[in-house]
Amino acid sequence: MPLPETEAPGRLQAALTSRGLRLTRQRRTILGVVETAKQHLDATQILRHARRLDPGIDRVTVYRTLKLLKRYGLVDELDLMHMQGEKHFYERRPTRDHIHMACLRCGKIIEFESDLFERLKGQIERDCHFHIVISRLEVGGYCAGCRSNSRE
Amino acid sequence: MPLPETEAPGRLQAALTSRGLRLTRQRRTILGVVETAKQHLDATQILRHARRLDPGIDRVTVYRTLKLLKRYGLVDELDLMHMQGEKHFYERRPTRDHIHMACLRCGKIIEFESDLFERLKGQIERDCHFHIVISRLEVGGYCAGCRSNSRE
DNA sequence: TTAAGTGCAAATATTTTGCTGTCAC
DNA sequence: GTGACAGCAAAATATTTGCACTTAA
């Protein structure tokens, strides 16, 4: 089942200004790219997309903006099990955490929400007296499609 | 509560040869470093430790060996929430998965095993028809000690 | 013996930093 | 107007590749 797609567009932008940060043309562009991306993008892909909208934009600005957004908890950084080298991928911080499943055969990334995951985080907080700010669960393996294909 | 420490030493080495890979002096050294490490080490730290035992060992060999061990599921690669830059850390693949908690204040890494985590993985496998080969749950937040200190 | 593995050099990829000019507020 | 930010150049860090020599099996 697919996750609820894009919420109010511009949510990240509002979050930025409410924190007293400047909403520059470049940040607006980069935010737009991350917010509307159909898949998870790495820094180079984000740069490429951003340049289509604003050709002058610099790679450094992308890195600086991503770092900022990460620091303020507006985007999450993922590894996706490092299937394509050691890049990092970015996505808008969801309202509810989800799990990333990476198929080691076809490379597809599947997202999944789970109450059990929420309960697990609750257990960690209670049992370890640890206050969770951010969490990331990634699994690698074989998706339904690849499992049936491999039986052929 | 601490996790059960080192099992039979040389377990990784046996695993390598049983897969038809050559057990070179360098690999033995690097394996030893990872197996006996008290904390999670990144590639540079592994190189430094390995060179104490075998000064001629090359950085490239460390990278190649880590990649190999990762591919064969003998070591796991961690980000530890990227608190110290974008390095990657390595640990021997445990018999039972554990969660890594990284304190954003003091930098301490706490490990935690949980039946709920095992159940969650079971749920993912069933509900998504996804066969899990490897999983990684990392959380960032504030540990018990830092939470009480910040109250002072 | 010989194919797999190592070291060395160099390339590539990724991310950060210093500085100057510019723009959001 | 002014301090935060962007662009440019360059450095720092992280990882991979090609090739000739070495060594485990």
Side-chain angles (χ1 to χ4, degrees), chain A residues 70-83:
Chain A
K70 204 169 50 166
R71 180 146 33 90
Y72 282 87
L74 302 177
V75 305
D76 283 334
E77 188 181 55
L78 310 168
D79 277 7
L80 302 181
M81 293 327 269
H82 283 140
M83 299 204 309

Side-chain angles (χ1 to χ4, degrees), chain A residues 6 16 25 32-33 39-40 64 74 123 126 134 137 150:
Chain A
T6 34
L16 263 197
R25 180 170 44 83
V33 168
Q39 338 124 44
H40 303 98
R64 281 197 275 232
L74 302 177
Q123 184 197 42
R126 263 178 284 106
I134 178 177
L137 172 53
S150 65

Side-chain angles (χ1 to χ4, degrees), chain A residues 101-146:
Chain A
M101 293 177 277
C103 179
L104 300 172
R105 192 175 184 216
C106 69
K108 187 165 58 182
I109 305 296
I110 303 161
E111 301 186 345
F112 180 60
E113 286 186 7
S114 160
D115 283 328
L116 218 43
F117 186 29
E118 301 304 318
R119 283 178 53 200
L120 173 55
K121 287 188 290 182
Q123 184 197 42
I124 293 169
E125 296 217 302
R126 263 178 284 106
D127 290 10
C128 306
H129 306 286
F130 190 94
H131 173 60
I132 297 179
V133 173
I134 178 177
S135 67
R136 206 162 94 193
L137 172 53
E138 300 187 356
V139 314
Y142 297 95
C143 73
C146 289

Side-chain angles (χ1 to χ4, degrees), chain B residues 40-59:
Chain B
H40 304 97
L41 305 176
D42 66 20
T44 299
Q45 292 171 314
I46 292 171
L47 174 66
R48 194 176 327 126
H49 285 233
R51 275 192 169 151
R52 278 192 212 128
L53 305 165
D54 178 356
I57 213 160
D58 196 85
R59 175 173 232 102

Side-chain angles (χ1 to χ4, degrees), chain A residues 21-22 24-27 56-58 60-61 64-65 86:
Chain A
L21 296 167
R22 289 193 182 170
T24 62
R25 180 170 44 83
Q26 294 88 338
R27 284 183 181 172
I57 213 160
D58 196 85
V60 175
T61 301
R64 281 197 275 232
T65 302
E86 310 286 311

Side-chain angles (χ1 to χ4, degrees), chain B residues 24-34 50 53-54 57:
Chain B
T24 62
R25 180 170 43 83
Q26 295 89 335
R27 285 181 180 172
R28 224 187 305 262
T29 304
I30 294 168
L31 280 166
V33 168
V34 175
L53 305 165
D54 178 356
I57 213 160

